[in-house]
Amino acid sequence: MQLSCIGIMVARMCERCNYAEMLEGHGVDTTPLREAVLRSVGDESRPLAAAEIMAAVRSRMSINKVTLYRILDLLVDKGLVKRLLAGDRAFRYGMGETRHHPDHPHFVCSRCRVMECLGPDLLPVGIKKFQTKGKRIIKHVDVRFEGICERCLKAGT
Amino acid sequence: MQLSCIGIMVARMCERCNYAEMLEGHGVDTTPLREAVLRSVGDESRPLAAAEIMAAVRSRMSINKVTLYRILDLLVDKGLVKRLLAGDRAFRYGMGETRHHPDHPHFVCSRCRVMECLGPDLLPVGIKKFQTKGKRIIKHVDVRFEGICERCLKAGT
DNA sequence: TTGGGCTTGCAACTCAGTTGCATAGGCATT
DNA sequence: AATGCCTATGCAACTGAGTTGCAAGCCCAA
């Protein structure tokens, strides 16, 4: 990460330009903090709690917690980021759906509360074609697997 | 509800005896408060937030909020009650799985945050046979539909 | 009757997130 | 340059849901 935008082409796309573009593409003016928050979420393979995002952003610049929550609200609102439930009191934040990030279920370890992304293939077939049974409107489905993660299995008795 | 245990047989089972029996059956000594809490959860068709359970119990007897949370912890621990996520910061509590209450997905209205139970038939086929892919152990799957409920659809523009 | 183990209550606390203001920068208009 | 406005950020104080620590009160057994 932190690849130069005008450097030679490398395997990974220039994330820096990318995140700024993503913001603009969703009608959000980019600011250094917004970009840093989105980058912190996007550079991780698993959804993070606000406190983890704050630590990640603070490793590079200074940010107030209120600002962080406001930026997260904004990004969730614009669909760039998804607010996820892990089963404890803290929300997790992961990248919103795009071509590169298709909808997928999550796994939460009930011991260490870490949340992981599962492959979209683990979304049970047919779950996308849920009916609007009754007179309610169904907009999303959220599939959450719970159990013990690999690390805890290795570590614990 | 509140049918007499020694009265004539009516369509519904004697809930009073039932809840006490359920407690004992799960190795929990019954007390008036525990029974009242379990009844409040069991008599509802939808999962309730702690505050709603408190109101329901208090309509019949007095209870302290700490006691309520401790009883809920106990019931969840013993499997009599299930702690559910609605998308806001408050847990919901619904009856645990039994022969009469099979596993089922839930619906949450993103406008009024009310949670409803959906039929077990709405659990996408095959979701029960999820693999223990990788080296993690998967214990539960939680399927949550989100959208706008019937009441809000009628009420709102 | 002494002691231990439960259940319940009260007060104070925690944690994650929110609200209400103040400040500071940017841009447009005068 | 001065004025006004609009947005982004920060600080302090607050909120809501749940938790912790400790003190009764009660029951049963030794």
Side-chain angles (χ1 to χ4, degrees):
Chain A
M1 49 203 97
Q2 290 289 50
L3 309 176
S4 159
C5 282
I6 48 173
I8 50 167
M9 202 53 181
V10 285
R12 257 173 114 205
M13 278 190 67
C14 167
E15 300 288 13
R16 180 152 229 282
C17 300
N18 239 1
Y19 289 123
E21 267 168 33
M22 285 176 68
L23 287 166
E24 302 290 351
H26 284 75
V28 179
D29 289 347
T30 114
T31 70
L33 287 179
R34 285 173 181 175
E35 212 183 309
V37 170
L38 185 57
R39 168 193 309 286
S40 299
V41 173
D43 278 357
E44 273 296 325
S45 62
R46 61 184 180 84
L48 299 181
E52 296 173 301
I53 299 172
M54 190 138 74
V57 172
R58 283 190 169 159
S59 74
R60 276 174 285 126
M61 59 188 79
S62 140
I63 189 175
N64 181 273
K65 102 184 151 150
V66 178
T67 306
L68 172 61
Y69 283 117
R70 280 197 283 234
I71 291 176
L72 286 172
D73 281 352
L74 177 70
L75 299 183
V76 167
D77 197 64
K78 298 296 183 181
L80 281 152
V81 160
K82 222 169 173 176
R83 206 191 307 268
L84 299 164
L85 304 170
D88 53 14
R89 354 227 47 255
F91 294 116
R92 305 298 138 100
Y93 299 88
M95 287 309 274
E97 266 181 70
T98 64
R99 318 90 255 164
H100 305 112
H101 296 78
D103 193 19
H104 56 270
H106 293 94
F107 171 84
V108 177
C109 177
S110 38
R111 202 163 291 166
C112 69
R113 283 292 151 199
V114 159
M115 178 176 256
E116 302 169 6
C117 298
L118 300 179
D121 54 300
L122 264 183
L123 257 195
V125 286
I127 199 161
K128 289 298 239 179
K129 340 171 193 127
F130 48 79
Q131 317 93 309
T132 299
K133 204 165 172 180
K135 285 141 220 154
R136 54 174 88 76
I137 294 176
I138 294 179
K139 290 191 182 156
H140 317 286
V141 201
D142 182 36
V143 177
R144 209 171 46 86
F145 292 80
E146 192 164 330
I148 309 293
C149 73
E150 203 178 329
R151 252 174 61 90
C152 284
L153 275 180
K154 275 187 194 150
T157 59
Chain B
M1 49 203 99
Q2 289 289 48
L3 309 176
S4 159
C5 282
I6 47 173
I8 50 165
M9 202 54 180
V10 285
R12 257 175 113 204
M13 278 190 67
C14 166
E15 300 287 11
R16 180 151 230 283
C17 301
N18 240 1
Y19 289 123
E21 267 167 34
M22 285 176 67
L23 287 165
E24 302 290 352
H26 284 75
V28 178
D29 290 346
T30 114
T31 69
L33 286 179
R34 285 172 182 175
E35 213 184 307
V37 170
L38 185 57
R39 167 193 311 285
S40 299
V41 173
D43 278 356
E44 272 297 326
S45 62
R46 61 183 179 85
L48 299 182
E52 295 172 303
I53 299 172
M54 190 137 76
V57 172
R58 282 189 171 159
S59 73
R60 275 175 285 125
M61 60 189 78
S62 139
I63 189 173
N64 181 275
K65 101 183 151 152
V66 178
T67 306
L68 171 61
Y69 283 116
R70 281 197 282 235
I71 291 176
L72 286 172
D73 280 352
L74 177 70
L75 299 183
V76 167
D77 196 64
K78 299 295 184 182
L80 280 152
V81 160
K82 222 170 175 175
R83 204 191 309 267
L84 299 164
L85 304 171
D88 53 14
R89 357 222 46 255
F91 294 117
R92 304 298 138 99
Y93 299 88
M95 288 308 274
E97 267 181 71
T98 64
R99 319 87 257 165
H100 305 112
H101 295 78
D103 193 19
H104 57 270
H106 294 94
F107 171 84
V108 177
C109 177
S110 38
R111 200 162 293 166
C112 69
R113 284 291 152 200
V114 158
M115 178 177 256
E116 301 169 5
C117 298
L118 300 179
D121 55 299
L122 264 184
L123 258 194
V125 286
I127 199 161
K128 290 297 239 181
K129 341 171 192 125
F130 48 78
Q131 318 92 308
T132 299
K133 202 165 172 180
K135 285 142 218 154
R136 53 174 86 80
I137 294 175
I138 293 178
K139 290 190 181 155
H140 318 286
V141 200
D142 182 34
V143 176
R144 208 171 46 87
F145 293 79
E146 192 164 330
I148 309 293
C149 73
E150 203 178 329
R151 252 175 59 91
C152 284
L153 274 180
K154 274 187 195 151
T157 56

